[in-house]
Each structure stands twice: as C-alpha cells, then as structure tokens.
C-alpha cells in the first residue's frame, strides 16, 4: 500500500497552492456588476410635475434573469469533462506462468472509459492539461450577444418608450490541470482519485446606445459624456473582468467488472464529484454530484470499441440560485453517453476516437428574439431565456504513445458537433501517465 499512499500525497501537494489562490472580484457576479445598479446606469435631469426628479429606471432580461444566465454559462463552465482516471495499462494474472500480462492490445480511450480494470495491486498516476476557450452559447456568437433594456412601465409609451440597445461581448476561458491516481484493489475492482487545478478567466463588455423612441430632449435620458453637447451622451461602454485560480471539484471513482468473457466486458462504476472548487469564482459547480455509469468494451484484435452511459445527479448551488443573496437552487441533471473505439496501431502507439453526448435536463437556455418599442416600427435584436431539455454533442480524437515501458504520453483534441449549450470550437489536451 506504500505506492498508493505516496501517489495520494503527490495529489494533495499539487492541490496545496489552492489555499493561496489569486483572484479579483467574484466571477459569478460579473454580469451583475456590468448590468446591475452599479454598472449600466442611465442618467436623467427631467423634472416631474410634482417637482421631483425623474429617475431613469431601465431593466432587461439580463437583469431579471441573472440566475438563469449564470446557469447557462457558469453552470457549464463548472461541468467541463475530466480526462478519464482509468489507466492505459491493464493487466490480468496468468495462472499458468504466475505473472501479470497485458489484457488489451491498445492503451484505451482518453475522455471516456472501458470495462477493463487495472489489475490487482497495480497503480497508475496521470497528469493532464486541458484548455477551453468558448465561442458560442446556443449558436449565438459570444462576441456579439444583443440585449434590449426597457424602461419601467414602458407599456405606457411616451418618454417611457425609450430603450437602451446593447451589443455584449463575453470572453470565457478555462485552463484545467488534472492529476489522477488509480489503484487496483482486486483484479476486478479499481478506485481512482482526480484532483483538478483550474484557472478561469471571464470578461464582459457591453456597448450601450440610448434609442430615443419616445423623447427628443437629450436631458431626459443620457449617459454622462464630457465630449457630447452639454454632457448628454448617447453611447457608452461598460466593462468588467476577472481571473481566478484554485482547486476545482475533486472526483472520486469506484469501478468494478460485472462481466468478463474474452475480449468482451461490462463494468459498473460510480463517480462522486465533491464541491471543493469555489463556485463564486467559477472554479467548481458548488454542488455535490453523483454519477452511476456503465462501460461496455468489445475487442477484435487491436480494435476495441466501447460504450459509456451514465446519469449525473447534481445537488444545489448558488450558481443556480442567487449568488448575491447566497440562496441555492438545484443544478440541472445530465444524462451522459459516449461511443468510440481505440486501436492499437503498434505495441507503442494507439489511436482513440469518441463521440461524446450530454443531455441537460430542464436547463435554462438563451435564444434570440427581437423587441419593437411601442410607437415604433423598428425591431431591435434581443435575447430571452426559456427552460428546456437539450442535447450537447462533441467529438474527440487522440493518441497515446509509449515513451518507455511504463510511461505513456497522450494528446487529444475535443471539437464541437452541435451548437447547443456553451461551445468551444476545439479543446486540446496533453498528458502523461505512469503505471506500475
């Protein structure tokens, strides 16, 4: 048991820097900073008949749906795929020779799992680096998401019909370093631990313009601008950004072989995601996650197809509730599935390819719409939210190469196959694995 204990100590040492993580403002509050009362504010110098000063109160779906937008973006940022902690080296005990022999002719998948276990008393240590830079949300370019801000009681028309039209640019990227250890408790039962270190960067820029639909007097609604006549500006840009680094959500896995006959096998497992990452900085989900899963493997010589199916149950998190008020709500569950194959090209080199799917259950979604102010024929691009169940799909191709007898290097490229959800065009992965 000394080797597993040493490996676990290594994982803990890798996670230790999280205690002094660097951070700016809480990333989950960035949208509220830009679009809330301390951000996008319209000024007014008009005086009402009773002598009081008119207050230009504007709102939009961005303001009234902060929690839904956090789920749509932050929830998916916190649910990035971890590389499989399963080992590329799998062994069975040969009773005729009294030695362990490799049980497969390939080094296995990278983001998915196979039915084979590592072997009794065997140990594997892996380290992987991934990078995600997101491009679209529900098919909408994150560099230009429109939103319309309407005045309180805009249905009454007149000066209340003025709107603020915005074009919003969102940059979201995540770097993830994951250390994993797997130990073969028996010849049919493995335990694994994966510890991710996460670096998240989020920036939001809003280019806002006042559309004077119901007024002509620039003093009624304006942005303060010293370069505009009398300081009554029509355009203004609002911006907020932040970066956070620290421990992500730790994953504990148990997997056991339920059926094995020749090159065919079925394994059942359970992943437990611990909410160790700071969800307020988008380093973790903030919710306990439990995923029972099944992995089916087949084999014809060097060609080994596999199928994975699992259901991710998620607990409650402030990302699904109200971050500012510290209230929690349930994060959407997901049905996860994948199909793929790995091919042992040679004794030192294998290829892996997968199609990855996730069906989000009753999750908020963003969709394009338009808004036409009362008394105007011009429609302004806008967005709205709705809750529905949808499927996200991605592809993955990669390879593993033996650098030494017990040392593997791997590379994987994950790419989008659909526009549903939060999407990055391509996400590279680099890693190493040592087994003994």
């Amino acid at each position: 048991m000394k080797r597993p204990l040493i490996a676990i100590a290594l994982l803990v040492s890798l996670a230790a820097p999280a205690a002094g993580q660097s951070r700016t403002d809480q990333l989950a509050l960035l949208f509220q900073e830009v679009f809330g009362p301390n951000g996008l504010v319209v000024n007014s110098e008009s005086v009402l008949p009773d002598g009081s000063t008119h207050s230009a109160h504007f709102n939009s779906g961005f303001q009234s749906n902060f929690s839904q937008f956090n789920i749509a973006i932050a929830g998916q940022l916190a649910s990035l795929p971890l590389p499989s902690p399963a080992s590329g080296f799998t062994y069975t005990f040969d009773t005729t020779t009294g030695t362990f022999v490799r049980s497969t002719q390939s080094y296995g998948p990278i983001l998915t799992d196979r039915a084979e276990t590592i072997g009794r008393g065997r140990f594997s240590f892996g380290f992987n680096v991934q990078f995600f830079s997101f491009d679209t949300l529900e098919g909408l370019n994150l560099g230009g998401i429109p939103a319309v801000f309407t005045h309180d009681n805009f249905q009454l028309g007149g000066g209340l019909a003025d709107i603020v039209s915005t074009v919003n640019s969102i940059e979201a990227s995540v770097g993830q370093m994951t250390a994993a250890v797997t130990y073969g408790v028996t010849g049919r039962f493995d335990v694994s631990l994966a510890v991710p270190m996460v670096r998240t960067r989020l920036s939001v820029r809003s280019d806002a313009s006042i559309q004077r639909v119901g007024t002509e007097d620039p003093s009624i609604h304006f942005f303060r601008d010293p370069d505009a006549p009398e300081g009554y500006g029509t355009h203004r840009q609002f911006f907020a950004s932040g970066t956070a680094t620290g421990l992500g959500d730790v994953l504990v896995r148990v997997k056991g072989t339920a059926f094995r006959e020749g090159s065919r096998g079925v394994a059942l497992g359970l992943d437990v995601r611990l909410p160790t990452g700071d969800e307020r900085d988008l380093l973790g989900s903030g919710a306990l996650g439990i995923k029972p899963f099944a992995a089916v493997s087949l084999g014809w010589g060097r060609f080994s197809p596999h199928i994975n199916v699992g259901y991710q149950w998620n607990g409650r998190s402030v990302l699904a509730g109200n971050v500012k008020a510290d209230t929690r709500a349930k994060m959407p569950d997901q049905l996860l599935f994948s199909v793929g194959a790995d091919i042992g090209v040679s004794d030192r080199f294998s290829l892996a390819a997968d199609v990855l799917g996730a069906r989000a259950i009753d999750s908020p979604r963003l969709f394009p719409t338009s808004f036409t102010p009362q008394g105007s024929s011009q429609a302004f691009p806008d967005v709205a939210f709705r809750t529905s169940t949808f499927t996200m799909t991605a592809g993955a191709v990669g390879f593993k190469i033996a650098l030494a007898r017990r040392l593997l290097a791997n590379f994987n490229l994950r790419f989008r196959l659909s526009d549903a959800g939060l999407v990055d065009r391509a996400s590279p992965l680099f890693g190493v694995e040592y087994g003994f």
Side-chain angles (χ1 to χ4, degrees):
M1 290 295 293
K2 290 183 179 180
R3 289 175 175 173
L5 291 175
I6 292 172
I8 292 173
L10 286 172
L11 289 175
V12 172
S13 68
L14 286 171
Q21 61 183 261
S22 62
R23 50 182 288 179
T24 54
D25 295 325
Q26 294 179 330
L27 299 191
L29 293 174
L30 277 187
F31 294 106
Q32 191 160 347
E33 291 177 11
V34 172
F35 302 110
N38 295 322
L40 198 158
V41 176
V42 180
N43 300 288
S44 176
E45 292 183 356
S46 62
V47 178
L48 299 177
D50 63 0
S52 62
T53 301
H54 169 79
S55 178
H57 292 162
F58 284 80
N59 61 79
S60 80
F62 268 37
Q63 287 180 322
S64 59
N65 292 285
F66 279 131
S67 62
Q68 297 187 60
F69 204 80
N70 269 341
I71 298 174
I73 288 191
Q76 293 184 63
L77 281 173
S79 302
L80 302 176
L82 284 173
S84 171
S87 173
F89 300 98
T90 58
Y91 297 88
T92 57
F93 186 74
D94 189 340
T95 56
T96 60
T97 62
T99 60
F100 285 96
V101 296
R102 281 188 59 189
S103 59
T104 59
Q105 297 184 52
S106 71
Y107 293 116
I110 298 174
L111 292 181
T112 56
D113 209 344
R114 56 181 174 177
E116 289 81 7
T117 51
I118 190 174
R120 181 178 181 180
R122 293 284 171 171
F123 170 76
S124 174
F125 176 80
F127 184 79
N128 296 278
V129 179
Q130 290 176 284
F131 182 76
F132 303 83
S133 182
F134 298 99
D135 306 295
T136 63
L137 178 63
E138 304 294 351
L140 295 174
N141 184 358
L142 287 178
I145 295 181
V148 172
F149 288 72
T150 59
H151 198 288
D152 291 343
N153 302 315
F154 68 90
Q155 301 90 342
L156 299 179
L160 302 180
D162 286 357
I163 67 169
V164 178
S165 63
T166 65
V167 178
N168 306 283
S169 176
I170 301 169
E171 294 184 6
S173 62
V174 175
Q176 186 169 259
M177 297 184 298
T178 305
V181 57
T182 299
Y183 180 68
V185 180
T186 71
R188 301 170 66 93
F189 185 75
D190 290 348
V191 294
S192 302
L193 176 68
V195 179
M197 291 291 296
V198 179
R199 179 177 176 83
T200 301
R201 184 181 186 279
L202 182 66
S203 68
V204 183
R205 187 187 73 241
S206 181
D207 293 300
S209 300
I210 297 175
Q211 307 293 338
R212 307 187 192 283
V213 177
T215 64
E216 296 182 359
D217 184 351
S219 69
I220 296 179
H221 296 133
F222 64 92
F223 296 124
R224 296 197 182 278
D225 182 357
D227 296 327
E230 300 185 57
Y232 300 145
T234 302
H235 307 283
R236 187 172 175 182
Q237 185 178 97
F238 300 85
F239 178 81
S241 68
T243 302
T245 303
L247 178 67
D249 287 349
V250 171
L251 178 72
V252 180
R253 167 177 290 185
V254 293
K255 186 182 79 171
T257 302
F259 167 80
R260 182 75 181 174
E261 184 179 278
S263 59
R264 298 177 298 167
V266 177
L268 301 177
L270 181 70
D271 285 349
V272 178
R273 188 194 66 233
L274 305 176
T276 50
D278 186 350
E279 68 274 23
R280 296 176 179 274
D281 270 336
L282 305 185
L283 300 176
S285 64
L288 177 69
I290 299 176
K291 185 185 78 174
F293 68 91
V296 180
S297 293
L298 302 173
W300 292 278
R302 294 183 178 271
F303 179 70
S304 302
H306 51 262
I307 299 173
N308 293 180
V309 179
Y311 187 87
Q312 176 77 47
W313 175 88
N314 294 309
R316 300 170 67 85
S317 169
V318 294
L319 295 180
N322 188 312
V323 180
K324 191 86 170 176
D326 197 29
T327 57
R328 295 177 175 269
K330 191 178 185 312
M331 292 285 287
D333 294 346
Q334 290 188 348
L335 174 65
L336 303 169
F337 53 91
S338 64
V339 58
D342 46 277
I343 304 171
V345 178
S346 69
D347 291 338
R348 296 172 56 87
F349 184 81
S350 67
L351 298 173
D354 286 286
V355 175
L356 313 168
R359 187 161 178 80
I361 311 298
D362 294 332
S363 178
R365 305 185 69 183
L366 194 69
F367 66 94
T369 183
S370 62
F371 178 81
T372 303
Q374 186 171 341
S376 172
S377 59
Q378 183 179 359
F380 294 88
D382 197 4
V383 291
F385 297 86
R386 65 185 174 202
T387 298
S388 66
T389 297
F390 61 97
T391 301
M392 302 169 285
T393 56
V397 293
F399 64 83
K400 293 185 177 183
I401 184 170
L403 303 178
R405 182 169 174 265
R406 295 177 177 176
L407 180 65
L408 290 177
N410 60 70
F411 170 79
N412 187 79
L413 188 66
R414 179 179 174 270
F415 51 91
R416 67 178 180 183
L417 294 177
S418 72
D419 287 331
L422 184 64
V423 175
D424 53 337
R425 289 192 182 94
S427 304
L429 176 150
F430 305 90
V432 293
E433 179 187 327
Y434 183 70
F436 51 89

